[in-house]
Every structure is written in structure tokens, then in C-alpha cells.
Amino acid sequence: MRLAFYGAAGEVTGSCTLVETGEVRFLVDCGMFQGGSEARQKNVRALDFGFDVRSLDFVLLTHAHIDHSGLLPRLAMLGYRGPIYATQASVDLLEVLLPDAAHIQEKEIEWQLRHRHRRGFGERGVPAPLYTVAQAQSALRLLNPVRYGEWLRPADTVAVRFRDAGHILGSASLEIALEDGGRKRRLVFSGDLGMPGRPVLPDPEPAPAEADVLLIESTYGDRLHRSLADTEDEIVAAFERTRAAGGNLVIPAFAVGRTQEMIYMLADLVRRKRLHPLKIYVDSPMADMATRITLAHRELLDPETRELIAWQRQHPDKVSIEFVADVERSKALNAIRSGAVIVSASGMCEAGRIKYHLRENLPRSECTVLIAGFQAAGTLGRRLVDGVRLVRIFGETVPVRARIYTVGGLSAHADRDALLGWLRGFRKPPGRTFVVHGEAGASASFAAAIGSELGWPEVHLPQAGERVTL
């Protein structure tokens, strides 16, 4: 059996692992690299995948986030016609996310062309999109929904079980039983694991009892999250400061997962009278659709969230939520100078409507930007977290006078202790453990913790493009 690491090795994004035996060949995830201009070049280099995609038997998808799913349309463009297996909730989300990812690419390139034409330059040097909306929609036809907990047989020698990972709606860890030349092997992919005790989704299911090979994520493998109580205090402080100053509060948030969690958190704080009644503008058509999908899968939500949804509907005067759809209404939000709470995508501030709201509000010292999610190296969000005083948005230099709050306790990823707790679910150490999906320092720190705290041997840090025979 062989593994090849085509992404999320030594970095967080671009998850893509090829598994090969003498009988079968399949991918686990097929994600886009994210994080500024360098990520764009990585996506361009990844476009041929380094192997014949038509030889793949199937694809397994852990969840719908673009850094795990975003190159699936490219896979189909290159000739892959096999099934892509994912949970039903992930399939529903992908019907929104993949066309939206293509739309963002098309609009960004359209903007670049207009910008070059205004300056008297031609179209040379402007890249084509990784894929178009039509190509993304075509790839959706390959999706096959599966249920949590049921064994799937995508090939004669392979059985797969999807287990709830508690990260975003529909997210899964994968337990894979396969035969390799008559030898039985068990692979486990953690996928992205959620943080226990957080709102909206149940805690991650425990790890399987055993594995010959394990791939474990390490996004926050080198740190602990703040407690939920401390996080609430930070959010309240940010709101009180902004309210007293008479400004707006802008929250960059991923349309899937983080937006719904933020709505929950704010509504719950109002319900408990820790915040004044709020008017929340969710300026993201995709977040609107993702929220509708979330509400359509209430069986996947935790009981506290279902209770809060009922309370909010009974008290619209306490928490008013407007999902902003059309562009003109989105532009009109920038005329609001005080009292607005604007939640908008993208979560790393790299694309989408959030850039317009940052351009308008960052120069205003009375305003606040609340960063509540992971910011990859090279992104605008990361630069704001790092304290830069000037940024460029749509080619303009924008001063950063607004207060930047970084709230660490709302992460959809498990922290170091939660990851170690999940690993303790194995009855014995896996034969080989690969630490993936983390920046180099975080992965190295977590690999050391696995060795020192769990006593596991054979913990490996794969490099991008590395191939391992097992």
C-alpha cells in the first residue's frame, strides 16, 4: 500500500491524499490551497495532480470546506468520472460552495481585466479561473451521499465508514478497511475534528478502536483554545467598546460553520442579557443558503441549538437577523455609520463582500473587526491579526485604525488537548501515524506531544509530494 501527500502536508490547506494498493486507487479529499498569491501558484501547479485522474476508482470527501473540496471540479475537468462519496449534508453544502468558489474566481479575474484595461494594459498575464461555474455544476453530478455509521463498499476490497467529526455540518472522520494483496489493513483519516463542548454541533464521535495507519489533523496542535466563558467575555468587551465609541462591528466569517456558530453565540448572549438587543446583517448569499441547509438538517444539531432557534423565533425584537442577498442592499450597509453588526464572508478576508466592509470600516477608529477563526499565512485576515497598520484592498491603500479583536475560543478545530483526547480513543497506538493539516510548527509540536504524552512510536511529518510505502 502506498500513500502520496498532495496537500495539507506542512501546511493547513489543500488536503489531498492518494491511497494505492494492488487492487484499488482512490483519493481522500481534493482541496484547494488558500492563503494569498502563493496559494494561487500552488493551485496552478496542482492542476494536473501528478497522476492520471481517470485511473481513480473513487473519491472520499471528509467535509465540504473548500480547502478539502475545492479542486473536485478540476478533477472532473481532467476526465474523472467516478463517484465522490460524502455525507448528505456535505453534498447539500457542496451544491452551494463549489459554484460559489467558481463564481468568486470568475469575478476576481473580471476585476483584474477591468483594472488592466483602465490602465491601458492588455489581457496578457491574467490567469484563467481554475474552473468555471458550469464546470463546478458538472462536477456535482458525481456526488453520492452516504449515512453516518453505515459501512459503504466503494470497491470489492474496500469498506468505509463515515463518523461524525463535529467540525462543520456533515463533517466526517473516515474508517477504511481494505485488503491489499490478501493482507487486511485499516486506515483512519481524522478529517478536521471539532472542539468538544462548543455550540451548534455535537462533539466528535470517539476514534475507532484501532488502526494500522492514521492521518491526524494538527491545525491547532501547538496551542489551547480559550475557554468558552473567556471567549464570551471577549465578545462582550468588543461589543461594549464599539457601542460606546459609536461605530460598527464587522465579523469576517466562513459562510459554513462559523457564521451559524456566531449567530448562535450572539443570540445566546442576548438571551442571557449579556448583550443589548442586536440587529445583525449577514451579508453573504452563500451564508444564507448554508444556514437554510443547516436548518434542514436539525437532526445533526445539538439540543441546545434547537432550543435557541425556537427562542429567537419567539423574540425577533431581541435578535433581528437580516440575510442580505442583492448587491445594492449590500452596498447600502456601508452607509450605516453606527450600530451595525455585519457578518460577512470570506472568513480569511481574501474574497467576497467582507472586503468592501473592511475597506469602509478599517479606517474608522470607532469601529471594530472581530476575528473569530483561523487565518492562514499570507491572507488579509492574518495580516490584520499580526497588527499591520496599512493594507491593500481592491488596489487601494487602506489605513487600519479600527480595533482588531482576535477571539480564539470559537474555533471549529480541536485544540491540542482535544486532539490528544480523541487519540486516546485508540486501544493501542496505530502502526504508523502521519500528522497533517497544520502549519509546519504546529504539526511538529503536535507530533512531539503524541510521542511524549501518549508514548506512540512511528509518528511522521509528511512533506508535500511525499510518497510512502507501507
Side-chain angles (χ1 to χ4, degrees):
M1 182 172 66
R2 294 171 298 280
L3 299 181
F5 298 88
Y6 287 97
E11 61 185 305
V12 173
T13 64
S15 292
C16 184
T17 305
L18 176 66
V19 182
E20 298 176 282
T21 72
E23 293 84 13
V24 71
R25 196 180 209 207
F26 62 93
L27 278 185
V28 175
D29 289 341
C30 189
M32 189 182 291
F33 293 94
Q34 296 175 308
S37 58
E38 185 178 335
R40 167 76 198 185
Q41 294 306 311
K42 289 179 181 178
N43 285 320
V44 170
R45 289 196 297 270
L47 290 185
D48 64 358
F49 293 98
F51 57 88
D52 182 5
V53 303
R54 292 168 296 184
S55 69
L56 292 171
D57 294 287
F58 56 90
V59 176
L60 304 174
L61 187 70
T62 61
H63 65 285
H65 272 155
I66 290 298
D67 63 324
H68 290 255
S69 69
L71 289 184
L72 287 173
R74 187 69 193 180
L75 201 70
M77 286 171 60
L78 293 176
Y80 177 69
R81 295 293 180 269
I84 301 168
Y85 296 103
T87 64
Q88 181 64 65
S90 291
V91 170
D92 293 346
L93 289 171
L94 287 170
E95 291 175 353
V96 176
L97 287 172
L98 292 181
D100 183 79
H103 175 73
I104 288 173
Q105 294 174 58
E106 291 179 340
K107 287 298 180 182
E108 288 284 336
I109 289 168
E110 182 182 307
W111 179 87
Q112 289 183 46
L113 290 172
R114 285 201 309 268
H115 185 66
R116 289 181 66 85
H117 289 159
R118 282 197 300 267
R119 298 174 62 189
F121 298 122
E123 298 182 4
R124 185 177 180 181
V126 177
L130 299 173
Y131 48 85
T132 65
V133 171
Q135 290 165 334
Q137 291 171 334
S138 178
L140 294 175
R141 291 195 287 268
L142 303 178
L143 295 172
N144 286 257
V146 300
R147 295 178 181 273
Y148 284 127
E150 295 184 0
W151 284 101
L152 163 76
R153 277 212 168 267
D156 290 341
T157 58
V158 181
V160 183
R161 182 161 58 179
F162 286 66
R163 306 162 71 100
D164 194 341
H167 171 59
I168 65 167
L169 192 76
S171 61
S173 299
L174 304 180
E175 182 181 4
I176 305 171
L178 55 81
E179 293 182 15
D180 179 19
R183 182 182 179 188
K184 294 183 178 180
R185 314 287 283 275
R186 189 169 297 266
L187 282 69
V188 173
F189 288 74
S190 73
D192 286 357
L193 293 168
M195 186 68 183
R198 292 301 189 260
V200 181
L201 297 177
D203 292 351
E205 286 188 54
E210 58 185 46
D212 297 296
V213 179
L214 167 67
L215 277 74
I216 176 71
E217 71 120 322
S218 58
T219 309
Y220 286 106
D222 61 342
R223 70 197 76 174
L224 302 179
H225 296 322
R226 295 186 181 109
S227 70
L228 204 54
D230 288 345
T231 299
E232 289 180 353
D233 290 344
E234 290 173 329
I235 292 173
V236 170
F239 271 79
E240 289 179 344
R241 182 261 177 193
T242 311
R243 187 168 180 268
N248 296 324
L249 195 143
V250 179
I251 306 174
F254 297 108
V256 178
R258 183 50 40 79
T259 293
Q260 292 76 36
E261 191 174 38
M262 185 56 66
I263 291 172
Y264 174 97
M265 180 69 71
L266 298 180
D268 189 46
L269 289 170
V270 172
R271 179 174 61 167
R272 289 189 280 127
K273 299 182 179 180
R274 295 205 63 193
L275 288 178
H276 293 276
L278 295 177
K279 173 67 176 180
I280 303 170
Y281 301 94
V282 181
D283 190 14
S284 167
M286 185 167 62
D288 183 9
M289 290 184 279
T291 302
R292 293 175 188 273
I293 292 169
T294 300
L295 293 175
H297 287 278
R298 295 195 187 195
E299 75 282 359
L300 300 181
L301 306 180
D302 61 26
E304 295 82 3
T305 299
R306 294 196 292 269
E307 179 185 333
L308 185 63
I309 290 170
W311 176 88
Q312 191 272 329
R313 287 181 171 173
Q314 294 168 4
H315 300 86
D317 57 319
K318 302 292 186 182
V319 181
S320 174
I321 304 170
E322 178 183 340
F323 286 90
V324 178
D326 66 86
V327 174
E328 292 307 312
R329 179 57 176 154
S330 176
K331 291 178 179 178
L333 296 182
N334 288 321
I336 303 174
R337 308 305 290 173
S338 178
V341 179
I342 302 172
V343 182
S344 188
S346 70
M348 296 187 194
C349 311
E350 281 296 288
R353 294 181 180 181
I354 188 63
K355 296 177 73 173
Y356 293 94
H357 299 304
L358 291 173
R359 183 179 64 181
E360 294 298 322
N361 290 280
L362 280 175
R364 303 176 57 215
S365 60
E366 66 270 28
C367 293
T368 297
V369 177
L370 186 70
I371 304 288
F374 180 81
Q375 306 296 311
T379 62
L380 173 57
R382 181 66 162 265
R383 293 195 293 276
L384 292 174
V385 169
D386 289 343
V388 297
R389 305 315 302 166
L390 292 172
V391 295
R392 290 188 67 79
I393 301 177
F394 299 126
E396 301 176 19
T397 299
V398 178
V400 180
R401 301 190 186 100
R403 182 79 170 267
I404 311 297
Y405 280 80
T406 302
V407 178
L410 283 182
S411 176
H413 286 271
D415 64 9
R416 187 193 67 129
D417 282 358
L419 289 170
L420 289 171
W422 190 80
L423 292 179
R424 288 187 174 96
F426 288 95
R427 283 201 299 254
K428 61 180 181 179
R432 294 285 297 275
T433 299
F434 297 89
V435 178
V436 296
H437 205 283
E439 293 181 356
S443 294
S445 175
F446 188 57
I450 293 173
S452 62
E453 298 200 25
L454 302 183
W456 287 12
E458 299 293 333
V459 180
H460 186 61
L461 294 168
Q463 300 301 307
E466 183 175 348
R467 298 168 184 265
V468 178
T469 299
L470 299 165

